[in-house]
Amino acid sequence: MIALSHPCRLATAAIYLTLTAAAFAQAPYPNRNITLVLPFAAGSGTDTTTRLIGKELGVALGVNTVIDNKAGANGSIAASYVARSPADGYTLFVTTNTTHSANPFLLKTMSYDPVKDFTPIARTGDLPFMLVINPEIPANSVAELIALAKKEPGKYSYASGSSSAIVSGATFARLAGIDLLHVPYKSSPPALTDVIAGRVSMMFVDVPTGLPHVNGKALKALAVTTKQRSALLPELPTMDDTVKGFDITSWQGYLGPANMPKDIVVKLNAEIRKIVERPDIKSQLAERGMEAFSGPPEEFDAFLKEQLVLWEKLITAAGIEKQ
């Protein structure tokens, strides 16, 4: 056997490392864990539905998915984190209209651009919201609640843990002509806790987060925020039935940092769409209060831009000042 000299051994090692690095770089996506960053706390509607879809996505791709809840600053903490992450498909953002439709018109300063800093991957559906109140409040309808609020101006308050809740509460107060105190929270679960305890009167909350408490009689549901009745809660009237012109819907979808490779976007979109369209997954998501559907990345991109226009109008009409 011929022994290699010291320079030869170094050269051989360098070649080996180069080839190994090249082979790793060319390994098919994905070859390690994918992190799903959420702008809301554990127990929120987005968290509940993402754990189901995310688990199936990991199975489909042959890797583990890790949930990373980064609540706070109206979702800006999570959005900024993803915007500054590598665009390699291993850090994804599962978000809603809070960060990508409403924040530009609710916040004075933005640490991210909802269009330029992200790559749309797939919309996964809608999360209907509903108006819930503390069961001790003597109202069984939106009309009765409005009558109470008009009788005692300033007595009643509404909690919020998302932009949909903020805008819904302000829109309700404006359209109904009532005086409501706004009590903001970092996320929906702690806000609901205070409504249940009677420290806050009411809240507009996504169905996945609020429904278990309604079913357990800890909260009373009065109406859904969508223009049409929700297929998930057909017995509940709409806000528009009493407060004409009220129509607010929350959406959910997957995005990545800007400039993600097209092939990775196409792969993720295909797998997410297959998962969302599966009858068993649709049924499980419906049980969690989500109306699931999807489409191509281009469709989601166009939708996001349309939603910015819509939410600017909603927030301007509600008279909400930037914070």
Side-chain angles (χ1 to χ4, degrees):
M1 185 173 70
I2 301 174
L4 294 174
S5 65
H6 182 64
C8 288
R9 288 199 301 270
L10 288 177
T12 302
I15 293 171
Y16 173 78
L17 290 174
T18 301
L19 292 174
T20 301
F24 181 78
Q26 293 172 8
Y29 171 87
N31 50 56
R32 54 188 170 89
N33 292 351
I34 295 174
T35 299
L36 304 178
V37 180
L38 276 62
F40 307 118
S44 63
T46 300
D47 177 81
T48 302
T49 55
T50 299
R51 289 183 185 276
L52 174 58
I53 297 174
K55 179 182 178 181
E56 295 299 322
L57 181 61
V59 171
L61 295 173
V63 296
N64 292 323
T65 52
V66 180
I67 303 294
D68 185 3
N69 300 92
K70 292 186 180 297
N74 225 32
S76 294
I77 294 172
S80 297
Y81 176 83
V82 175
R84 287 154 181 73
S85 296
D88 55 9
Y90 290 98
T91 302
L92 306 180
F93 194 28
V94 188
T95 192
T96 70
N97 41 278
T98 286
T99 62
H100 276 66
S101 303
N103 274 358
F105 314 107
L106 291 175
L107 305 178
K108 288 181 179 178
T109 59
M110 289 277 289
S111 55
Y112 65 94
D113 187 300
V115 176
K116 295 178 181 178
D117 290 343
F118 296 88
T119 300
I121 297 171
R123 188 176 171 196
T124 49
D126 287 341
L127 291 169
F129 271 56
M130 59 182 175
L131 172 59
V132 296
I133 63 173
N134 181 279
E136 296 300 316
I137 295 176
N140 294 304
S141 68
V142 175
E144 290 179 1
L145 180 62
I146 292 172
L148 288 174
K150 286 185 174 180
K151 186 176 180 180
E152 298 182 88
K155 176 181 178 179
Y156 296 94
S157 56
Y158 71 94
S160 70
S162 68
S163 67
S164 292
I166 294 171
V167 177
S168 293
T171 300
F172 177 39
R174 182 183 67 83
L175 293 179
I178 55 178
D179 180 16
L180 298 176
L181 173 66
H182 178 210
V183 185
Y185 293 78
K186 287 177 65 176
S187 62
S188 295
L192 273 184
T193 297
D194 278 1
V195 177
I196 292 170
R199 289 185 282 270
V200 186
S201 311
M202 69 193 79
M203 180 178 178
F204 287 90
V205 65
D206 57 275
V207 171
T209 305
L211 191 57
H213 302 290
V214 172
N215 291 338
K217 309 300 181 183
L219 291 169
K220 192 187 302 182
L222 299 185
V224 292
T225 63
T226 48
K227 185 78 170 180
Q228 306 296 327
R229 290 199 180 203
S230 170
L232 304 176
L233 298 167
E235 74 284 357
L236 269 187
T238 70
M239 289 293 296
D240 184 67
D241 288 340
T242 305
V243 184
K244 295 303 178 185
F246 198 109
D247 181 18
I248 296 176
T249 301
S250 177
W251 56 262
Q252 186 185 97
Y254 281 61
L255 301 100
N259 303 314
M260 278 180 60
K262 181 69 173 179
D263 59 329
I264 292 179
V265 173
V266 170
K267 185 168 189 173
L268 286 169
N269 177 269
E271 296 300 341
I272 291 170
R273 289 173 69 179
K274 281 190 282 187
I275 292 166
V276 168
E277 293 301 327
R278 276 170 44 187
D280 61 322
I281 298 299
K282 268 187 178 292
S283 176
Q284 291 180 63
L285 288 171
E287 291 172 1
R288 290 163 172 77
M290 179 175 172
E291 296 176 354
F293 54 86
S294 193
E298 297 79 11
E299 182 179 284
F300 187 30
D301 184 33
F303 173 80
L304 288 171
K305 291 167 183 172
E306 292 168 359
Q307 287 292 296
L308 280 169
V309 176
L310 172 62
W311 279 81
E312 181 180 18
K313 291 179 180 177
L314 285 171
I315 292 166
T316 300
I320 303 172
E321 295 185 2
K322 287 187 175 184
Q323 300 298 314

